[in-house]
Amino acid sequence: TKNWSKFSLLTQFKHFEDLRGQQDTTLQKLPEIFLTGLRQPIGESPFYFSLTSSAVNFYREAGVKGERIDMNPRFSMNISPKGYFTFTPELGLRETAYHLEGEERWRSREMYDLKGTLSTAFLRVYDLSGESLRKMRHSIEPGIVYEYTPEVIQDSLPLFDPVDRIGKRNMITYSLNNRLAGKVYTTEEDYQVREFILFRISQGYDINEANRELTSAVDEKHPFTDVSTQLRVTPSQYLSLVSDASYGTYDGYLKSL
């Protein structure tokens, strides 16, 4: 692993053992390299850039094998009129190239996706008389995210892992975050802001599912996703408790906890 201020490089070797005895068809990643770029401004412009990329050598004794290079740069900007809300449009570009053993020419896939995030926050700060905890901030943060990925035919590409099959997406997700954070002083002048409680509830609406044609008389559309919740309690910097749960919108019961 190599880290810079805005980029990181990770190289790893993954060897898998198939306990069913089919080791000759088991894919190995020898090696797998990741180059990641944090979201960062592009010069003096209002735009931001981030990067997720990887290069993998897939090897196995029997079956399709070869190399894959996947590049996914993203461009975004923040729009915040008078600080009332923040709108972040985002464009993702994706180029995936394959060189399979026994083939001279590379295969490739080009994709794009769009994302828009609209959020705001309602804050209130409380003054406390504690020795170290002197201020507490309560914030309620509603948000809406829209994600769109067009359908791309990928049947001619090999299937090594989920990166090779990216489905179409047309989804709206709405959420509500409830945070409680405090300003904890270590000395009279030094302090750190620590989040003590986060409660998040969210649900999605699948536009593709809502617009699809029914296939039979008993077929039903289920465009709403399960309601997901997360509770994270951090009483100290050394301890954090997390609980996730989901409620089935159409099943009508708690599906996971």
Side-chain angles (χ1 to χ4, degrees):
T1 302
K2 177 66 175 178
N3 295 316
W4 296 273
S5 60
K6 297 180 180 179
F7 290 90
S8 64
L9 180 66
L10 170 66
T11 302
Q12 58 186 10
F13 294 81
K14 288 186 176 180
H15 180 82
F16 300 94
E17 290 288 337
D18 192 331
L19 300 180
R20 299 168 301 176
Q22 302 175 359
Q23 188 63 26
D24 56 343
T25 59
T26 301
L27 273 173
Q28 315 295 342
K29 298 180 178 182
L30 306 171
E32 186 174 26
I33 303 172
F34 297 95
L35 177 63
T36 304
L38 299 177
R39 187 172 185 259
Q40 53 197 277
I42 303 177
E44 300 297 327
S45 73
F47 300 101
Y48 289 80
F49 165 82
S50 63
L51 174 67
T52 302
S53 62
S54 65
V56 190
N57 176 45
F58 292 98
Y59 175 80
R60 56 184 166 189
E61 295 182 6
V64 179
K65 51 190 171 183
E67 296 82 37
R68 182 188 71 200
I69 300 175
D70 184 51
M71 302 285 292
N72 184 204
R74 307 192 68 83
F75 303 90
S76 61
M77 66 181 300
N78 295 331
I79 304 173
S80 185
K82 296 183 179 181
Y84 290 123
F85 63 87
T86 300
F87 176 61
T88 305
E90 187 173 337
L91 167 66
L93 304 176
R94 190 159 203 155
E95 174 74 28
T96 310
Y98 302 82
H99 183 255
L100 305 181
E101 186 178 79
E103 296 185 2
E104 294 185 2
R105 299 184 60 183
W106 287 70
R107 305 186 192 185
S108 65
R109 176 191 64 189
E110 293 77 31
M111 300 183 66
Y112 75 91
D113 68 89
L114 303 174
K115 183 177 180 180
T117 303
L118 179 65
S119 62
T120 188
F122 303 94
L123 307 174
R124 185 170 182 179
V125 178
Y126 301 89
D127 292 321
L128 305 178
S129 58
E131 181 177 348
S132 59
L133 183 59
R134 303 179 187 178
K135 288 183 180 294
M136 188 74 74
R137 183 183 67 190
H138 178 216
S139 63
I140 298 176
E141 306 165 1
I144 300 177
V145 179
Y146 173 69
E147 298 172 283
Y148 174 76
T149 303
E151 183 176 17
V152 175
I153 304 301
Q154 305 166 76
D155 297 341
S156 63
L157 302 177
L159 179 56
F160 295 127
D161 59 28
V163 172
D164 305 313
R165 295 294 183 271
I166 299 177
K168 64 180 182 178
R169 187 175 181 85
N170 198 3
M171 177 79 72
I172 297 174
T173 303
Y174 37 90
S175 62
L176 184 67
N177 291 339
N178 204 329
R179 302 178 190 268
L180 192 63
K183 183 180 287 187
V184 181
Y185 282 80
T186 55
T187 66
E188 284 299 321
E189 297 181 355
D190 298 328
Y191 66 88
Q192 56 182 221
V193 177
R194 186 182 305 162
E195 184 179 83
F196 295 106
I197 298 176
L198 166 65
F199 178 73
R200 174 182 172 85
I201 182 170
S202 63
Q203 186 182 39
Y205 181 79
D206 191 335
I207 300 176
N208 287 334
E209 172 66 13
N211 294 335
R212 74 175 177 88
E213 295 184 0
L214 298 177
T215 57
S216 67
V218 297
D219 188 16
E220 296 181 350
K221 297 180 181 180
H222 291 165
F224 289 97
T225 67
D226 295 342
V227 178
S228 300
T229 63
Q230 182 187 73
L231 175 63
R232 184 174 68 225
V233 180
T234 309
S236 74
Q237 59 180 330
Y238 305 107
L239 177 63
S240 182
L241 306 174
V242 180
S243 175
D244 297 303
S246 64
Y247 179 83
T249 304
Y250 301 98
D251 302 318
Y253 62 86
L254 193 64
K255 300 180 69 173
S256 65
L257 181 61

